[in-house]
């Protein structure tokens, strides 16, 4: 069995996450899958004899979602050997040898394969540059889109404050409706993916309010108010998603890639993924601790504020517990590992942040505005009949 964390794009709402989870569960060879809306990451456990990352990506794409690849440029002395080594890696989606420039251009699935991982897989000296898919650019772009829509809705509603013709009101009302175009685009994507998204409800509400305004049942400024409220709710939701994802990314950067293990009186540098309970690791000042453990030699001053929340430096002596991701400010120590890999306190915090769901503001506000539109229609018609 193998495990992988796959970055999935185009997850606009919690309903999308549910569809991705169902698509992964139906993928042959996938034993379990957990998908986070906040981080857009899927933690997948799969049988390597039945499927691979390419097969999993195919299932994700067939459900209507995207998986953006990363770019790797590899430069080394033996391109033939490097090409053969890269071809054996599941994370490599495509590779092309450029004889003219003397490099290999590879496309990587977004599973966290960095420069160190590629170099270790090559088994030779190499210059590797990995350009990762944007981690937060998408969230920032969406937040900007919502803010632009809010300002546009307010701007196009200003003529409604003065006496203008009914035709002009219809035109400026349509422009206000255009400010909420995100919901129509998102609703179209949701329908295409066969997902019951709150964006569909938002698009229906905006259309219904515009019809009510055109029928003189409610003033056009109601359309502006509804548009702004929906966009603000979406903006708040995306901000929450960004904060959760950014917090998880900050913590993940605290995990060292390697550690110095004491073996037969010598210090050997190994990957942090290869650490096991019972190993003795050496930590020097300025290094981060690669696993949870107990000090068996020496004394140090550590900064563990990012993990525990405490702001003061803590002195650790023989017998004291230290946490993965803590920074050794002073003193060399030897630590017997108690928990390593995914069992550390740091990884548990990252997992909890990744699985946390932001408040579903939009769905609640959409339901409230939907009821408001219904009552406006009912009572507006009654007033018209009188």
């Amino acid at each position: 069995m193998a495990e992988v964390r796959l970055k999935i794009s185009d997850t606009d709402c919690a309903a999308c996450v549910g569809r991705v989870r169902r698509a992964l569960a139906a993928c042959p060879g996938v034993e379990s899958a957990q998908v986070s809306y906040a981080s857009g990451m899927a933690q997948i456990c799969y049988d390597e004899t039945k499927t691979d990352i390419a097969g999993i990506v195919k299932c994700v794409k067939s459900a209507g979602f995207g998986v953006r690849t990363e770019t790797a440029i590899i430069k080394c002395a033996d391109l033939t050997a490097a090409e053969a080594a890269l071809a054996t890696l599941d994370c490599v989606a495509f590779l092309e040898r450029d004889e003219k420039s003397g490099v290999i251009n590879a496309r990587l699935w977004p599973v966290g394969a960095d420069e160190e991982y590629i170099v270790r897989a090559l088994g030779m000296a190499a210059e590797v540059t990995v350009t990762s898919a944007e981690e937060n650019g998408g969230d920032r772009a969406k937040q900007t889109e919502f803010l632009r829509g809010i300002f546009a809705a307010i701007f196009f509603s200003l003529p409604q404050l003065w006496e203008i013709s009914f035709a002009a009101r219809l035109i400026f009302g349509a422009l206000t409706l255009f400010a909420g175009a995100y919901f129509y685009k998102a609703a179209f994507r949701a329908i295409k993916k066969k997902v019951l998204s709150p964006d569909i409800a938002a698009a229906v509400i905006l259309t219904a309010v515009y019809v009510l305004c055109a029928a003189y049942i409610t003033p056009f400024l109601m359309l502006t108010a509804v548009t702004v409220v929906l966009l603000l709710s979406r903006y708040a939701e995306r901000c929450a998603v960004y904060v959760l994802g950014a917090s998880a990314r900050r913590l993940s950067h605290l995990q060292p890639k390697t550690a110095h293990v004491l073996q037969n009186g010598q210090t050997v540098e190994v990957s942090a993924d290869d650490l096991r309970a019972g190993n003795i690791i050496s930590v020097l000042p300025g290094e981060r601790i690669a696993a949870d453990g107990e000090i068996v030699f020496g004394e140090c001053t550590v900064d563990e504020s990012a993990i525990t929340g405490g702001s003061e430096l803590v002195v650790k002596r023989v017998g004291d517990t230290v946490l993965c991701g803590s920074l050794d400010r002073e003193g060399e120590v030897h630590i017997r590992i108690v928990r390593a890999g995914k069992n550390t306190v740091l990884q548990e915090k990252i997992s909890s942040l990744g699985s946390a769901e932001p408040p579903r503001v939009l769905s609640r506000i959409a339901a409230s505005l939907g009821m408001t539109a219904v009552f406006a229609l009912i009572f507006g018609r009654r007033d018209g009949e009188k």
Side-chain angles (χ1 to χ4, degrees), residues 165-293:
S165 66
F166 180 69
R169 290 185 181 276
L170 286 178
I171 293 173
F172 282 106
L175 291 174
T176 303
L177 198 65
F178 181 75
Y182 166 83
F183 296 108
Y184 291 96
K185 293 186 289 186
F188 175 77
R189 290 195 300 267
I191 293 172
K192 191 176 179 180
K193 298 172 188 174
K194 299 179 182 178
V195 173
L196 188 59
S197 167
D199 292 316
I200 298 177
V204 171
I205 290 170
L206 288 176
T207 305
V209 173
Y210 180 74
V211 171
L212 292 176
C213 296
Y216 272 118
I217 294 176
T218 187
F220 273 97
L221 289 178
M222 176 64 73
L223 177 62
T224 302
V226 171
T227 304
V228 169
V229 169
L230 286 174
L231 287 170
L232 276 174
S233 65
R234 216 33 168 135
Y235 175 75
E237 187 174 311
R238 292 310 306 184
C239 285
V241 169
Y242 174 77
V243 169
L244 288 174
S247 298
R249 287 190 293 271
R250 274 197 305 270
L251 288 179
S252 65
H253 293 158
L254 299 180
Q255 172 72 59
K257 300 292 184 182
T258 60
H260 298 96
V261 178
L262 297 177
Q263 295 179 353
N264 301 322
Q266 295 183 341
T267 302
V268 180
E269 186 176 19
V270 301
S271 170
D273 296 333
D274 297 330
L275 295 177
R276 298 292 181 269
N279 290 155
I280 305 295
I281 60 174
S282 173
V283 181
L284 299 175
E287 295 181 342
R288 289 196 179 273
I289 300 170
D292 294 348

Side-chain angles (χ1 to χ4, degrees), residues 77-330:
D78 191 346
L79 293 181
T80 301
E83 195 172 22
L86 290 170
T88 63
L89 300 180
D90 275 352
C91 65
V92 177
F94 171 80
L95 59 89
E96 182 180 30
R97 183 171 173 174
D98 189 343
E99 296 286 357
K100 188 176 180 179
S101 58
V103 300
I104 295 175
N105 297 311
R107 303 292 291 177
L108 309 178
W109 299 122
V111 294
D114 57 10
E115 288 87 352
E116 293 183 15
Y117 175 82
I118 299 296
V119 171
R120 288 200 305 269
L122 293 176
M124 67 179 78
E127 182 181 335
V128 181
T129 303
V130 177
T131 304
S132 301
E134 288 184 323
E135 290 183 332
N136 54 22
D139 285 328
R140 286 299 192 189
K142 287 181 180 178
Q143 292 174 26
T144 303
E145 182 180 0
F146 297 137
L147 289 177
R148 282 201 304 263
I150 291 170
F151 288 121
I154 295 173
F155 176 77
F156 290 132
S157 68
L158 293 179
Q160 306 285 356
L161 299 175
W162 292 278
E163 290 294 332
I164 57 177
S165 66
F166 180 69
R169 290 185 181 276
L170 286 178
I171 293 173
F172 282 106
L175 291 174
T176 303
L177 198 65
F178 181 75
Y182 166 83
F183 296 108
Y184 291 96
K185 293 186 289 186
F188 175 77
R189 290 195 300 267
I191 293 172
K192 191 176 179 180
K193 298 172 188 174
K194 299 179 182 178
V195 173
L196 188 59
S197 167
D199 292 316
I200 298 177
V204 171
I205 290 170
L206 288 176
T207 305
V209 173
Y210 180 74
V211 171
L212 292 176
C213 296
Y216 272 118
I217 294 176
T218 187
F220 273 97
L221 289 178
M222 176 64 73
L223 177 62
T224 302
V226 171
T227 304
V228 169
V229 169
L230 286 174
L231 287 170
L232 276 174
S233 65
R234 216 33 168 135
Y235 175 75
E237 187 174 311
R238 292 310 306 184
C239 285
V241 169
Y242 174 77
V243 169
L244 288 174
S247 298
R249 287 190 293 271
R250 274 197 305 270
L251 288 179
S252 65
H253 293 158
L254 299 180
Q255 172 72 59
K257 300 292 184 182
T258 60
H260 298 96
V261 178
L262 297 177
Q263 295 179 353
N264 301 322
Q266 295 183 341
T267 302
V268 180
E269 186 176 19
V270 301
S271 170
D273 296 333
D274 297 330
L275 295 177
R276 298 292 181 269
N279 290 155
I280 305 295
I281 60 174
S282 173
V283 181
L284 299 175
E287 295 181 342
R288 289 196 179 273
I289 300 170
D292 294 348
E294 178 184 341
I295 296 178
V296 295
F297 170 79
E299 179 179 312
C300 66
T301 302
V302 299
D303 179 0
E304 52 187 22
S305 57
I307 298 97
T308 64
S311 59
E312 297 182 358
L313 300 179
V314 182
V315 177
K316 299 285 186 177
R317 300 179 176 86
V318 174
D320 290 342
T321 299
V322 289
L323 300 177
C324 176
S326 300
L327 178 63
D328 183 358
R329 293 287 189 182
E330 182 181 355

